[in-house]
């Protein structure tokens, strides 16, 4: 289980989805790219139902610092 984080009123937590991420692209690489826009709290790779195969979607729980670009 990931870290327990309190949702602050002045800096609320946001759920961020990254679509079509290459399997070989590490979560750390994506987190590093997001560093200027938010602080990443937790990461999760989404898998197909009843499978261990990742479907290319990544879920991030973040605390936004600035607007996050869509590219």
């Amino acid at each position: 289980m990931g870290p327990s984080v309190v949702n602050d009123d002045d800096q609320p937590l946001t759920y961020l989805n990254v679509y079509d991420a290459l399997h070989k692209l590490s979560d750390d690489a994506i987190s590093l790219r997001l560093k200027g826009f938010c602080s990443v709290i937790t990461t999760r790779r989404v898998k197909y139902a009843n499978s261990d195969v990742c479907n290319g979607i990544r879920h991030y729980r973040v605390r936004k610092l600035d607007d996050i670009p869509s590219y």
Side-chain angles (χ1 to χ4, degrees), residues 28-37 69 71:
D28 289 339
I30 296 173
S31 295
L32 183 63
R33 178 66 177 105
L34 292 170
K35 188 176 181 181
F37 307 103
Y71 56 89

Side-chain angles (χ1 to χ4, degrees), residues 9 11 18-19 31 34 40-42 44 46 51 62 67-70:
D9 288 336
Q11 289 185 313
V18 175
Y19 296 94
S31 295
L34 292 170
V40 176
I41 308 300
T42 61
R44 184 171 65 92
V46 180
S51 173
V62 301
D67 290 335
I68 301 170
S70 62

Side-chain angles (χ1 to χ4, degrees), residues 12-67:
L13 296 176
T14 301
Y15 289 98
L16 174 70
N17 293 321
V18 175
Y19 296 94
D20 299 325
L22 298 175
H23 179 71
K24 64 183 179 180
L25 184 61
S26 71
D27 291 322
D28 289 339
I30 296 173
S31 295
L32 183 63
R33 178 66 177 105
L34 292 170
K35 188 176 181 181
F37 307 103
C38 60
S39 55
V40 176
I41 308 300
T42 61
T43 65
R44 184 171 65 92
R45 290 181 182 221
V46 180
K47 298 177 180 178
Y48 290 106
N50 301 318
S51 173
D52 287 332
V53 178
C54 296
N55 66 6
I57 300 173
R58 315 268 183 108
H59 291 298
Y60 291 84
R61 192 167 186 197
V62 301
R63 194 175 306 277
K64 284 179 53 176
L65 306 172
D66 199 356
D67 290 335

